[in-house]
Amino acid sequence: VQLQASGGGLVQAGGSLRPSCAASGRTFGSYAMGWFRQAPGKDREFVAAISGRTGITYYGDSVKGRFTISRDNAKNTVYLQMNSLKPEDTAVYYCATGPLLARSAGAYDYWGQGTQVTVSS
């Protein structure tokens, strides 16, 4: 299984970004997808997750109402629409896939390489 994240970048506070993560190697629609982030010196933090078939979503408290996770099973891709970005959203964003929809990183068995998101004030 391979996950390729892209779409990060540098944006001013209040702006938007839409990173994506393309998956290959197993039946994409049968697995949950998650986004996590890690800022320098901090623990990895849950951002959002979406189930495989039903599209049920979970969000971390710090991004609820600003970020939206979605997936296109025909394209084997998951997206993270990030609006109203804040400097504290600056981190490396990782996508992950696993058998169950969960907020815990331990529930995901494959991870992408990460994409840097930097929000300037």
Side-chain angles (χ1 to χ4, degrees):
V1 177
Q2 291 189 329
L3 301 176
Q4 182 69 43
S6 62
L10 173 64
V11 65
Q12 288 187 333
S16 299
L17 283 173
R18 192 193 188 210
S20 61
C21 176
S24 62
R26 65 186 184 188
T27 306
F28 180 76
S30 297
Y31 294 87
M33 297 295 297
W35 286 96
F36 292 78
R37 67 187 183 185
Q38 189 165 20
K42 295 189 176 181
D43 293 335
R44 189 166 293 191
E45 176 188 9
F46 170 73
V47 176
I50 186 168
S51 63
R53 299 291 183 191
T54 59
I56 296 171
T57 56
Y58 291 166
Y59 292 96
D61 289 342
S62 61
V63 307
K64 202 172 296 183
R66 299 188 297 121
F67 291 10
T68 302
I69 188 171
S70 62
R71 65 190 296 159
D72 184 337
N73 288 344
K75 295 182 178 180
N76 290 357
T77 301
V78 64
Y79 306 93
L80 185 68
Q81 178 67 47
M82 306 190 297
N83 298 329
S84 302
L85 283 162
K86 304 175 182 180
E88 51 263 44
D89 294 318
T90 295
V92 177
Y93 283 70
Y94 298 91
C95 59
T97 183
L100 297 174
L101 180 65
R103 293 178 173 87
S104 171
Y108 296 86
D109 50 4
Y110 291 96
W111 292 76
Q113 86 287 1
T115 184
Q116 176 71 46
V117 171
T118 303
V119 184
S120 63
S121 57

